[in-house]
Amino acid sequence: MSITLNSKLDEIPGIGPAYIHKLQKLGIETVRDFLLYLPRRWDDYSHIVPIREIRPDEIVTIKGKIWEISNKRARSGINITEAIIADDTGTVKATWFNQPFLIKSLKTGDEICLAGKLEWNHNSVGMVSPAFEKISDEDESGLTHVGRIVPVYAETEGITSKWLRSKIKPLMKLIYSIRDYLPEEIKREQKLIDLPAAIRQMHFPENALQLKKARERLDFDEMFLLQLAVLNSRKKLNQERAIALPFNEDLIKGFVHDLPYQLTNAQRKAAWEILQDLARMQPMNRLLQGDVGSGKTVVAAIAMLNTAISNNQAVLLCPTEILVKQHFTLVSKLLKPFDIDCVMLVGSTPKAEKEEIYSKIREGEARVIIGTHALLEKGVEFWRLGLAIVDEQHRFGVDQRAALRKESLSTKTLPHFLTMTATPIPRTLSLTLFGDLDLSILDELPPGRKSIITRIVPSTKRQDGYHFIEEEIKKGRQAFVVCPLIGDVTGLESEKKSVMVEYQSLSKNIYPDLKIAYIHGKMKSEEKEKIMSDFAAGETNILVSTSVIEVGIDVPNSTIMIIEDADRFGLSQLHQFRGRVGRGEHQSYCFLFTKSNSEPVLKRLNALVQTNDGFKLSEVDLEIRGPGDFIGARQHGLPDIKMKNLMDLALIKKCRDAANNFLAKNNLEHQTLLYDKTKVFDAILYLE
Ligand code: ADP
Ligand code: MG
């Protein structure tokens, strides 16, 4: 039976079950997968040097004859294979350790190519553990492991590059059955080589130039497909209809005028951008990005007011009940003068009341609707949904956010869509993964905010930390203590426990005289509400909490944020916690408690000490975690995009222009092969 691209691994001669299993772990099931498993880097062993010219500590490739080869046993017991290799200019010694079987294949008189580093060893200079290959093993495309630019694969699961090379090389003859999905016209315009040639050159490059061309082709593909997916989704959204919501300028100006503070310029600009979008018939798709405390809520309130006043509905989706309550209180107060009916819907809303709210939403009586995931339940159908807003969007899954984008009962239109986040998106990502979004940025905080002092507190300094906190509390301030989620399945149990343990220890041993409360996601909502409102009213000194207070909570008198086991949280999340303080007139502090003294951990935590700028932190975070983790690629089933490409503005621009051009002339859905390739990115559309 002849092998094709679709052949399974067990049809390839010379690959046993153990290796098949290992390859499957790498996601390789078929010959096609195997061919598309590309090297991470290359070693250039192509330049053959006369033996006379080689120098110590250099990586070189030489070609010669084996003069003699033998095994000997060192005093330590290890086997040493020594060979003397000669060419026309001189001789050199090569040494390998614990590979006695080498002398079975390498014989005196064999012609051989060696690559490796020349090192001093026992007063003589020689090649230590060089890569090697016999010239007689050469095939029509030359040597495989030396004497050329050789591919180095990610060596995982106990598979060596040498093994991979020797198995992939014979499959190269099938490479030309791989179909190229890029249209000819694009390859011509961009001067790109064909896909099969590129893959071939990646594995076994003829020379550095061909390798460069191959990499150019594949880097282009990665970014181009991404841009196509993103821009095509935008094109499709533009063909949808939303309700045009006219900008009620006088009314909005009056509202802004009556606020207890002046809007920052950034807030004005963002609100303006949103109001402009709302007035259009194409659905808005906008991200409002602003660091914690930059005042996103009031911008959302302006957009909701402008929507509701024209007899349409606006919905605000929040990740926690606490936040819903807080927003509902604020927004109802702000909208009171306009006689707009606001409703609140959360998971714990009693059934009968829920039914009543459902019908208010369906009939259009409720015009501003604020809630948690409960808004995504079946019963919720909107009469005329003009605007949907998702606060703290990173707390929601793709499907959850998409669930709000549904047609309204009476108008069959989609809502304008606004998502809000405090986690800034690095600039290059905003052009790529988030390229289907318009962006409004609050890059300025309301005046008078003091920057938060952040300190890493090792176990030895814990008592000092407690003492300092006590002093602050005596001055009238309040503190949060955040404990991490531990484990996964049992997470909720252990989460409660660690909050409880901390609560016990603080209230019994450390601060017996202070008022301490605790809160976690598993508590009843009335209970949570009571605890939050007591804390907001200043009746509690310290609130011990899980990450439920991560987002949104606004209590200006709390000035101390203590994070236990800070190393367990991501940078963005830590920054969010820290954002719970520094909201009032007093100096605020953030203490990162950690038992870890590992360097990467301290480096990460130190980034927080160094800067309060969420934007800088997100770039550090992206760098540390890489784009895959940063955007949650694994969790969304996305291909991991190369960091190098995501940072390459020139490449991004080139691919974006090419994709725009292509979409202006073609319908992507009609180019089946290409369209299929872009589908892997579906999960990020609406990822925002
Ligand atoms: P976030 O962007 O983190 O959601 P919020 O909307 O919760 O921020 O606002 C943080 C705090 O700042 C709130 O107490 C809010 O009332 C206040 N605030 C918002 N805008 C301004 C402003 N322009 N001037 C002064 N305070 C403001
Ligand atoms: Mg907020």
Side-chain angles (χ1 to χ4, degrees):
M1 195 170 68
S2 67
I3 292 179
T4 68
L5 289 175
N6 294 325
S7 299
K8 294 272 186 261
L9 294 176
D10 56 12
E11 296 171 40
I12 307 173
I15 302 189
Y19 272 101
I20 288 178
H21 187 66
K22 287 175 185 176
L23 290 171
Q24 280 169 343
K25 278 197 175 165
L26 295 172
I28 302 170
E29 301 271 355
T30 63
V31 169
R32 177 186 283 101
D33 299 337
F34 210 13
L35 287 173
L36 293 177
Y37 188 71
L38 297 176
R40 281 288 166 88
R41 60 178 187 87
W42 295 263
D43 281 333
D44 188 352
Y45 294 153
S46 64
H47 189 56
I48 293 173
V49 179
I51 289 175
R52 191 178 48 206
E53 286 175 25
I54 58 185
R55 302 279 170 267
D57 292 325
E58 261 180 67
I59 292 177
V60 290
T61 309
I62 59 160
K63 195 169 171 180
K65 245 192 193 143
I66 299 177
W67 262 19
E68 55 178 73
I69 182 162
S70 61
N71 282 338
K72 65 182 195 189
R73 192 157 287 272
R75 239 170 298 150
S76 58
I78 58 172
N79 179 81
I80 302 177
T81 306
E82 270 183 1
I84 304 293
I85 318 294
D87 70 2
D88 295 342
T89 68
T91 62
V92 66
K93 186 165 81 177
T95 320
W96 293 274
F97 302 100
N98 273 341
Q99 301 183 59
F101 47 84
L102 285 182
I103 60 166
K104 291 211 177 102
S105 60
L106 299 181
K107 305 277 188 212
T108 303
D110 281 350
E111 274 199 282
I112 187 173
C113 197
L114 295 164
K117 200 164 160 190
L118 207 60
E119 288 174 38
W120 283 98
N121 189 15
H122 294 298
N123 298 328
S124 72
V125 73
M127 296 179 93
V128 180
S129 306
F132 64 90
E133 191 170 2
K134 286 203 287 187
I135 305 294
S136 58
D137 288 342
E138 196 171 78
D139 62 20
E140 66 274 19
S141 67
L143 291 171
T144 307
H145 307 292
V146 284
R148 64 175 314 133
I149 300 176
V150 296
V152 182
Y153 301 88
E155 294 193 358
T156 43
E157 308 289 343
I159 302 178
T160 65
S161 285
K162 192 166 183 178
W163 186 87
L164 283 165
R165 276 178 224 133
S166 63
K167 297 301 171 209
I168 293 176
K169 203 172 183 194
L171 300 174
M172 277 296 142
K173 55 181 181 292
L174 291 171
I175 203 94
Y176 291 97
S177 18
I178 289 183
R179 287 177 68 191
D180 196 342
Y181 44 78
L182 265 199
E184 288 302 324
E185 149 202 356
I186 290 182
K187 282 188 278 185
R188 219 171 25 245
E189 274 168 20
Q190 304 291 334
K191 303 193 174 53
L192 296 168
I193 62 173
D194 291 335
L195 184 62
I199 294 169
R200 181 181 184 90
Q201 294 295 334
M202 289 293 280
H203 288 296
F204 297 102
E206 253 165 71
N207 53 45
L209 179 66
Q210 292 303 320
L211 175 57
K212 181 163 168 269
K213 287 190 170 165
R215 298 177 70 181
E216 271 169 14
R217 162 70 210 251
L218 296 177
D219 287 346
F220 179 89
D221 284 17
E222 185 173 274
M223 190 52 69
F224 179 70
L225 292 170
L226 174 57
Q227 294 288 353
L228 263 188
V230 162
L231 295 172
N232 192 52
S233 110
R234 180 178 207 142
K235 184 174 163 183
K236 281 201 296 206
L237 192 63
N238 278 340
Q239 289 157 359
E240 300 281 356
R241 286 289 163 260
I243 308 170
L245 303 161
F247 177 16
N248 201 327
E249 198 168 340
D250 291 338
L251 182 116
I252 297 293
K253 279 195 170 143
F255 173 81
V256 169
H257 181 263
D258 292 341
L259 286 172
Y261 43 73
Q262 279 213 324
L263 289 184
T264 62
N265 283 330
Q267 284 172 316
R268 277 175 205 283
K269 179 155 178 272
W272 170 259
E273 287 165 349
I274 292 165
L275 292 167
Q276 294 298 305
D277 279 3
L278 293 183
R280 299 200 179 98
M281 277 173 65
Q282 285 86 24
M284 167 172 80
N285 191 27
R286 188 172 280 277
L287 174 67
L288 175 59
Q289 172 186 306
D291 213 339
V292 277
S294 59
K296 294 181 288 293
T297 319
V298 67
V299 176
I302 291 173
M304 292 195 283
L305 171 60
N306 192 68
T307 305
I309 208 72
S310 62
N311 262 327
N312 292 291
Q313 293 171 301
V315 63
L316 173 60
L317 176 66
C318 311
T320 63
E321 283 195 29
I322 300 174
L323 202 51
V324 167
K325 187 75 207 307
Q326 186 180 291
H327 283 344
F328 182 76
T329 311
L330 178 76
V331 172
S332 327
K333 196 172 96 194
L334 289 174
L335 301 190
K336 189 122 201 264
F338 304 94
D339 196 25
I340 288 168
D341 199 350
C342 299
V343 299
M344 179 171 103
L345 185 70
V346 293
S348 62
T349 307
K351 191 143 188 299
E353 203 179 314
K354 252 188 192 166
E355 292 298 335
E356 201 177 309
I357 293 172
Y358 287 168
S359 92
K360 277 185 161 183
I361 297 176
R362 203 161 39 232
E363 318 271 292
E365 194 182 324
R367 278 191 273 150
V368 167
I369 302 118
I370 302 179
T372 55
H373 308 80
L375 288 171
L376 308 176
E377 281 163 20
K378 261 222 187 72
V380 182
E381 288 177 300
F382 294 95
W383 169 68
R384 287 175 70 92
L385 185 60
L387 170 66
I389 306 180
V390 181
D391 194 14
E392 311 290 355
Q393 54 81 23
H394 62 284
R395 298 288 299 255
F396 293 94
V398 183
D399 297 345
Q400 291 173 321
R401 278 171 281 163
L404 267 188
R405 276 195 158 119
K406 53 186 180 190
E407 285 189 349
S408 294
L409 294 171
S410 77
T411 55
K412 306 289 173 213
T413 52
L414 291 183
H416 292 287
F417 205 70
L418 177 68
T419 54
M420 307 203 289
T421 183
T423 309
I425 299 163
R427 182 170 137 68
T428 51
L429 290 192
S430 72
L431 286 168
T432 52
L433 294 173
F434 302 88
D436 62 331
L437 282 174
D438 291 308
L439 203 57
S440 290
I441 301 178
L442 301 183
D443 54 3
E444 113 190 77
L445 293 178
R449 298 272 167 83
K450 289 201 180 69
S451 98
I452 302 163
I453 297 173
T454 303
R455 292 286 174 262
I456 299 172
V457 185
S459 312
T460 50
K461 292 279 173 61
R462 182 174 277 265
Q463 291 309 322
D464 298 352
Y466 282 148
H467 184 70
F468 181 87
I469 292 156
E470 190 165 11
E471 294 296 307
E472 284 297 299
I473 288 174
K474 279 189 191 147
K475 286 189 221 157
R477 305 289 82 76
Q478 290 164 278
F480 291 104
V481 177
V482 171
C483 302
L485 274 160
I486 306 161
D488 41 341
V489 190
T490 55
L492 288 172
E493 286 310 304
S494 40
E495 166 194 9
K496 265 193 277 181
K497 195 160 141 250
S498 78
V499 165
M500 294 317 293
V501 167
E502 219 34 53
Y503 167 74
Q504 293 289 346
S505 130
L506 287 171
S507 53
K508 288 224 173 78
N509 310 330
I510 303 180
Y511 301 126
D513 301 333
L514 298 182
K515 284 202 214 77
I516 303 180
Y518 64 87
I519 190 165
H520 57 71
K522 278 277 161 121
M523 290 161 84
K524 287 224 174 62
S525 51
E526 307 92 76
E527 232 178 318
K528 281 190 281 191
E529 247 166 56
K530 173 93 175 55
I531 286 163
M532 279 319 297
S533 62
D534 285 354
F535 188 71
E539 282 163 29
T540 325
N541 304 118
I542 299 179
L543 183 60
V544 186
S545 169
T546 57
S547 58
V548 289
I549 55 108
E550 174 184 346
V551 291
I553 301 303
D554 190 35
V555 182
N557 188 51
S558 56
T559 58
I560 296 173
M561 170 58 64
I562 296 162
I563 303 165
E564 293 284 353
D565 291 329
D567 44 284
R568 297 196 174 223
F569 297 100
L571 264 186
S572 303
Q573 209 180 359
L574 289 167
H575 182 60
Q576 285 272 2
F577 290 140
R578 178 167 63 177
R580 297 309 113 224
V581 298
R583 294 177 159 249
E585 53 189 308
H586 303 287
Q587 177 62 54
S588 287
Y589 303 87
C590 175
F591 297 109
L592 306 170
F593 283 8
T594 178
K595 295 190 222 40
S596 170
N597 38 32
S598 104
E599 196 161 325
V601 166
L602 294 180
K603 185 175 161 221
R604 191 157 58 90
L605 296 182
N606 226 335
L608 282 157
V609 176
Q610 301 292 327
T611 183
N612 274 302
D613 181 341
F615 196 77
K616 280 200 194 119
L617 286 171
S618 82
E619 303 217 306
V620 176
D621 206 16
L622 175 62
E623 227 169 84
I624 293 176
R625 290 199 286 164
D629 267 351
F630 188 87
I631 58 166
R634 256 173 285 287
Q635 129 207 16
H636 297 303
L638 283 172
D640 204 347
I641 296 146
K642 283 194 223 87
M643 184 75 173
K644 173 182 78 65
N645 291 349
L646 275 180
M647 290 294 146
D648 187 343
L649 274 175
L651 175 70
I652 293 169
K653 179 154 189 328
K654 179 163 82 174
C655 294
R656 196 175 171 84
D657 290 348
N660 259 326
N661 245 332
F662 179 81
L663 290 173
K665 287 184 262 172
N666 302 278
N667 186 335
L668 179 60
E669 279 83 350
H670 295 167
Q671 309 256 344
T672 331
L673 210 52
L674 189 61
Y675 183 45
D676 280 351
K677 291 297 285 186
T678 64
K679 281 191 185 148
V680 288
F681 295 110
D682 276 357
I684 54 162
L685 306 172
Y686 312 127
L687 180 69
E688 293 102 25

